[in-house]
Amino acid sequence: GAVVSQHPSWVICKSGTSVKIECRSLDFQATTMFWYRQFPKQSLMLMATSNEGSKATYEQGVEKDKFLINHASLTLSTLTVTSAHPEDSSFYICSASNPQGLTDTQYFGPGTRLTVL
Amino acid sequence: GENVEQHPSTLSVQEGDSAVIKCTYSDSASNYFPWYKQELGKRPQLIIDIRSNVGEKKDQRIAVTLNKTAKHFSLHITETQPEDSAVYFCAASIGNFNKFYFGSGTKLNVKP
């Protein structure tokens, strides 16, 4: 149980375009999902907390108008990188916790590698 | 906010030896401490976790210890195997189902 999927697994786009990444909890309902960004050989940097039915909570320094988060249902959160630039190239990972589970742990998606040309 | 520091950044051991990774946290309200293993290009996978009301937890070759007074926790891997080679992250969380603060990661290399 507690499987999280992410789509797409990789995407290459041109500078100035927008990219949408989906995060789904497959076998549980996730009222809260988290979006991370990870640069090569670095740790996971929390970007925002996605709350079902309400606005996302962004970490300090993360531009909410650039990284749009929508948590429209209990199993789906989306991250849209708007007007992407080469510096947005990174590995984006989502996670979700299972309130019906036995622990507080977060289950991670497989990640999306974004390359902006 | 919470600050988690992790040491060492790299660790190389011989197969069969033990490996220890240490983390410290700053907020005494933190009450949940998971450890994740991440292989190159893959998702982080939970390997063990501990809550603040427990001092030690063990699962086969892996154990975690927590010292609340000193605000540090450690991951212990015994009888290391080449497949243990990966990057390990510690994290701390406050409350229930809240965000994680991650350490900087430790790259473990187990030499056969």
Side-chain angles (χ1 to χ4, degrees):
Chain A
V3 178
V4 176
S5 71
Q6 214 171 315
H7 179 81
S9 55
W10 60 270
V11 57
I12 301 173
C13 69
K14 292 182 179 179
S15 187
T17 60
S18 294
V19 174
K20 180 185 284 188
I21 302 170
E22 293 185 349
C23 178
R24 293 180 185 273
S25 56
L26 298 185
D27 51 1
F28 66 100
Q29 294 182 334
T31 52
T32 304
M33 291 183 173
F34 305 89
W35 286 96
Y36 295 85
R37 184 173 180 177
Q38 187 176 34
F39 290 108
K41 298 184 180 180
Q42 292 191 24
S43 187
L44 295 98
M45 185 193 81
L46 180 66
M47 298 175 66
T49 301
S50 174
N51 304 297
E52 188 269 336
S54 65
K55 291 183 179 180
T57 305
Y58 289 82
E59 294 298 300
Q60 193 172 12
V62 178
E63 299 176 59
K64 57 183 67 177
D65 293 332
K66 180 167 185 62
F67 299 99
L68 301 178
I69 291 172
N70 184 282
H71 196 149
S73 76
L74 286 171
T75 59
L76 174 64
S77 175
T78 60
L79 168 68
T80 301
V81 183
T82 63
S83 187
H85 291 285
E87 56 265 31
D88 298 324
S89 299
S90 189
F91 193 52
Y92 292 87
I93 311 179
C94 68
S95 71
S97 53
N98 181 6
Q100 290 79 38
L102 298 176
T103 76
D104 293 39
T105 196
Q106 292 179 17
Y107 301 93
F108 284 85
T112 297
R113 186 160 301 283
L114 170 63
T115 302
V116 184
L117 302 176
Chain B
E2 174 65 283
N3 181 44
V4 178
E5 294 191 355
Q6 184 172 345
H7 300 280
S9 56
T10 60
L11 179 59
S12 189
V13 300
Q14 205 67 39
E15 181 179 0
D17 288 350
S18 295
V20 180
I21 303 171
K22 299 181 179 181
C23 287
T24 61
Y25 60 99
S26 61
D27 196 328
S28 57
S30 290
N31 61 350
Y32 178 67
F33 308 92
W35 284 90
Y36 285 86
K37 174 183 180 183
Q38 186 180 31
E39 298 178 5
L40 190 62
K42 301 281 184 68
R43 76 183 82 193
Q45 299 269 19
L46 178 75
I47 55 172
I48 197 166
D49 56 7
I50 192 168
R51 293 203 68 91
S52 57
N53 58 347
V54 176
E56 184 175 357
K57 185 176 178 181
K58 190 174 181 180
D59 182 5
Q60 298 184 359
R61 297 187 297 110
I62 297 173
V64 56
T65 58
L66 171 66
N67 183 325
K68 284 194 299 182
T69 304
K71 294 204 285 283
H72 68 68
F73 56 112
S74 300
L75 176 71
H76 304 253
I77 305 175
T78 58
E79 300 172 31
T80 54
Q81 302 166 2
E83 49 265 39
D84 293 330
S85 296
V87 179
Y88 292 80
F89 292 100
C90 64
S93 177
I94 302 171
N96 296 317
F97 308 112
N98 281 338
K99 59 184 177 183
F100 287 176
Y101 298 89
F102 278 92
S104 53
T106 296
K107 183 175 182 180
L108 174 64
N109 179 35
V110 180
K111 295 178 286 186

